[in-house]
Amino acid sequence: MQVATHPDPRTPPGRYDTLLGGLHTTPATIVHQGRQSGIQIALSPLGARSLLGLPAGELANLDVTASDVLGPFIDELRDRVRAAPGWPERFRIVDAMLAARCAAPVLPPPEVVHAWRLLQASGGTVSTVELAREVGWSGRYLSRRFNVEIGLSPKAAARVARFDRARHVIQRGASSPPSPPAAATTTRRT
């Protein structure tokens, strides 16, 4: 994967066989010569400790070579996926290796987990004041813990959740047939 610009502008452009990126609120620009293939795994920040062995906050706004964090595990995963004869086999390899690595889940503090789940369930519409009240922490402490564990403040995470929700609505709309115009939807009474 060729990354032309990273979320952190201090990171120079680069080519990656395996890339690990944290949450960010600015885009990365990926370029290619017309075709590329690969597997993207979208990991919840709650799963970072289990899979990566560190809180998601340590990767906030970063793109790094995945082996810098996952070591030989990611090299073995990449090599096994490349050697597989087709996509179904590749996905089975990814599923099996990730499941084995996450056999003993390690979660952030329960208050962060609860706040994250509330934020996601609301689609990013719950206020940070309400989140703090719900978990029994001050807004400042919740923000500090969120930054460490998730990589974003609750407010920024809510923006990302709202963006993600809008993206899903647009994708669903693009894949379903268009609705008839309002004038064509009138009913006739007999």
Side-chain angles (χ1 to χ4, degrees), residues 1-109:
M1 176 181 297
Q2 185 73 33
V3 181
T5 59
H6 294 270
D8 180 351
R10 297 171 294 182
T11 305
R15 184 182 179 286
Y16 299 85
D17 285 335
T18 56
L19 176 73
L20 185 60
L23 285 177
H24 47 87
T25 57
T26 57
T29 304
I30 299 168
V31 296
H32 56 85
Q33 299 300 318
R35 267 191 88 157
Q36 68 178 10
S37 63
I39 297 173
Q40 177 180 341
I41 300 165
L43 177 66
S44 162
L46 300 182
R49 282 189 186 271
S50 295
L51 181 64
L52 308 176
L54 50 83
E58 290 191 28
L59 295 170
N61 297 308
L62 295 178
D63 291 328
V64 297
T65 300
S67 59
D68 290 349
V69 175
L70 294 167
F73 170 81
I74 199 66
D75 296 331
E76 179 186 351
L77 176 61
R78 182 195 62 234
D79 292 346
R80 288 180 62 190
V81 164
R82 281 184 177 164
W87 288 105
E89 296 85 2
R90 291 177 184 132
F91 293 133
R92 278 194 289 277
I93 290 166
V94 169
D95 289 345
M97 288 186 68
L98 293 180
R101 185 170 175 96
C102 295
V106 181
L107 292 174

Side-chain angles (χ1 to χ4, degrees), residues 161-173:
R162 288 190 304 271
F163 176 83
D164 199 44
R165 184 181 62 191
R167 182 179 59 83
H168 279 78
V169 167
I170 291 168
Q171 284 177 325
R172 277 193 306 272

Side-chain angles (χ1 to χ4, degrees), residues 115-141:
W116 173 260
R117 289 182 177 154
L118 286 171
L119 194 132
Q120 294 302 303
S122 78
T125 61
V126 65
S127 73
T128 55
V129 170
E130 194 175 331
L131 283 177
R133 184 175 33 246
E134 180 70 29
V135 300
W137 285 349
S138 72
R140 181 178 289 171
Y141 188 71

